[in-house]
Amino acid sequence: EKIEEKLEAQGLDVDAREQEIHAACGYLASVTMDVMGELFQGARQTMNWLATCARLISSQGQPVAWISPTGIPAVQPYRLKKPYTIVTLLQTIVLTNTSDSLPIHRQRQVTAFPPNYVHSLDSSHMLLTALEMDRRGLVFSAVHDSFWTHATDIDEMNDILRESFVDL
């Protein structure tokens, strides 16, 4: 979106060159992923291993599931949806069956597992940190992976963050 705005600001007709822009974006994404893979080889290998695990699980027709470090079960809900179109005199409505009895969406199971697993680790870390901060009587607030406390308690929170991460 931001790139399109910049191109339009330079007088380029974005709609007329949509295919060319799409191909260029694909190329940039590919180059970026290659560089990231070189810079973060260990992380890339771990993500590939997680994806391989998900591929094996989903090939058996099972959704990928795991227990987070805090004991919370996680089951990926990605299934092949079955839409039904209902046409009436007044309107057309599309209803989607999202039943757990539908076959799993294998590709979504595979591509979603590595980031979902990492998010479960992040949220477990946040929960463990919040519990320890509360146990010590310290103020704590967080959004995703940004943690806050009073300025006078930052050093102690940093210790708690590290201890909680090791506890994972």
Side-chain angles (χ1 to χ4, degrees), residues 139 148-158:
V139 173
W148 303 286
T149 191
H150 292 298
T152 57
D153 298 327
I154 288 175
D155 290 339
E156 189 169 2
M157 182 183 73
N158 285 338

Side-chain angles (χ1 to χ4, degrees), residues 124-140:
S124 294
H125 179 237
M126 183 181 75
L127 179 60
L128 292 174
T129 300
L131 291 170
E132 183 60 23
M133 292 285 286
D134 184 60
R135 190 186 72 71
R136 295 187 190 188
L138 300 171
V139 173
F140 178 76

Side-chain angles (χ1 to χ4, degrees), residues 23-153:
C25 288
Y27 171 74
L28 287 174
S30 173
V31 170
T32 301
M33 291 306 290
D34 288 346
V35 170
M36 295 297 280
E38 290 173 19
L39 291 175
F40 303 102
Q41 288 181 2
R44 188 91 222 123
Q45 289 170 343
T46 301
M47 297 300 241
N48 289 340
W49 181 78
L50 289 170
T52 299
C53 291
R55 195 170 290 108
L56 291 170
I57 294 166
S58 64
S59 73
Q60 299 301 308
Q62 297 297 316
V64 178
W66 66 99
I67 305 292
S68 77
T70 54
I72 298 171
V75 180
Q76 296 192 136
Y78 311 117
R79 296 188 173 274
L80 295 171
K81 295 180 173 120
K82 192 169 182 183
Y84 297 95
T85 303
I86 300 171
V87 180
T88 69
L89 293 174
L90 300 174
Q91 62 188 350
T92 299
I93 300 172
V94 178
L95 301 175
T96 304
N97 181 357
T98 57
S99 168
D100 285 345
S101 64
L102 292 170
I104 63 164
H105 192 299
R106 290 183 184 174
Q107 188 59 37
R108 291 219 39 216
Q109 291 285 332
V110 171
T111 58
F113 178 53
N116 285 347
Y117 182 75
V118 170
H119 290 313
S120 78
L121 295 178
D122 288 343
S123 64
S124 294
H125 179 237
M126 183 181 75
L127 179 60
L128 292 174
T129 300
L131 291 170
E132 183 60 23
M133 292 285 286
D134 184 60
R135 190 186 72 71
R136 295 187 190 188
L138 300 171
V139 173
F140 178 76
S141 184
V143 173
H144 189 56
D145 58 358
S146 295
F147 304 152
W148 303 286
T149 191
H150 292 298
T152 57
D153 298 327

